[in-house]
Amino acid sequence: MNARIRTFHLRTAATLLLLSAAPALSSASAATVRGADGVSVTVTAPKRVVALNATTVELIYRLGKQGTIVGTDVTGTYPPNKIPSVGHWAQLPAEGIIALKPDLVIGTADNFATGTNPGVVAKLRGAGVKVLVLPATDTGGLNGVRTRLDLLGQVYGVPGAAAALNRSFDTTLAAVKANQPARPPRVIFLYAHGPNDASIYGTSGGANDLIELAGGVNAAPFADTRTLTAEALVTINPDAIILLDRGLEAVGGVDGTLKLPGVAQTNAGRNRRIYSVDNSIRWIGPRLPEFALKLSRQWKADFKK
């Protein structure tokens, strides 16, 4: 999580309060849904949706409405698809989105407030495009996913499908709980671009939710993200280290991770307790319980006492 994304946490807390009022159906086929920015959007069976942020695309797929998506950003690649991309998630082009002639644009608060995106929502609305701003994806954990899911269920008029997916989360969470390790490992999440470029994720983002859900304890003694130093990591001395799949590849696998500053001098390094997770984890989405279940099973086998 970079500094720009962190600036949205306070905004997210405020916008979640705005969501306390439930969306209201205005008729059998239309719904008025209040977004995380406090702006209500009335929609009737949207047919041309630009879905921004990977988790928005995933949730729409889970609701069976993927046929409505006419555009996404570069993160909207799961499930594998051929949806046209409007560009980088931190540099959304209002003109490119408008060119797709959407009847609804759906994005997340962190997406719209990142990089060069502030102002994009106003431009879209100024052009007459309806925009629904969902709560941020980097805070709120699985409860945040449930909130976004319920809102999308209202948008598409399929609250039953949303409720069914919510129940499936509960089933997976029960499996996660049954597979948590007997001894909670103290865990550090490293965000690495290469052997000389790595940071420690703090306790305020999606990585923290994953660690806690899987039965570990985030050993980072700070909320934000800080550059990895040997001194800091040795002082923390985690039992386990997590990287993104691409991060692990970028540093050269487990052997390469052991060469990062301080890693070899930690319990995690000495015991080669290095784990990788899906690249999308910083955007908390519907696969969070699945990711947690995979980790909990690994930790249950590795931390028996």
Side-chain angles (χ1 to χ4, degrees), residues 11-87:
R11 180 179 300 181
T12 299
T15 52
L16 285 175
L17 289 176
L18 293 172
L19 287 168
S20 58
L25 289 174
S26 59
S27 72
S29 59
T32 298
V33 182
R34 186 190 301 183
D37 59 350
V39 176
S40 295
V41 178
T42 299
V43 294
T44 305
K47 295 179 176 60
R48 295 186 61 82
V49 173
V50 172
L52 304 170
N53 190 287
T55 62
T56 305
V57 173
E58 279 198 58
L59 287 169
I60 293 174
Y61 264 83
R62 297 285 187 115
L63 293 174
K65 296 297 182 180
Q66 62 270 22
T68 66
I69 306 176
V70 297
T72 182
D73 59 28
V74 293
T75 69
T77 58
Y78 186 87
N81 60 68
K82 297 182 179 179
I83 301 170
S85 172
V86 297

Side-chain angles (χ1 to χ4, degrees), residues 119-171:
V120 167
V121 173
K123 286 183 180 179
L124 293 173
R125 286 174 175 158
V129 177
K130 293 182 179 180
V131 182
L132 176 63
V133 181
L134 299 176
T137 66
D138 59 344
T139 57
L142 188 59
N143 285 337
V145 178
R146 293 180 191 274
T147 298
R148 282 178 274 140
L149 176 61
D150 288 342
L151 290 173
L152 290 174
Q154 292 287 336
V155 167
Y156 282 104
V158 289
L165 183 52
N166 263 317
R167 289 193 295 273
S168 76
F169 293 158
D170 295 333
T171 301

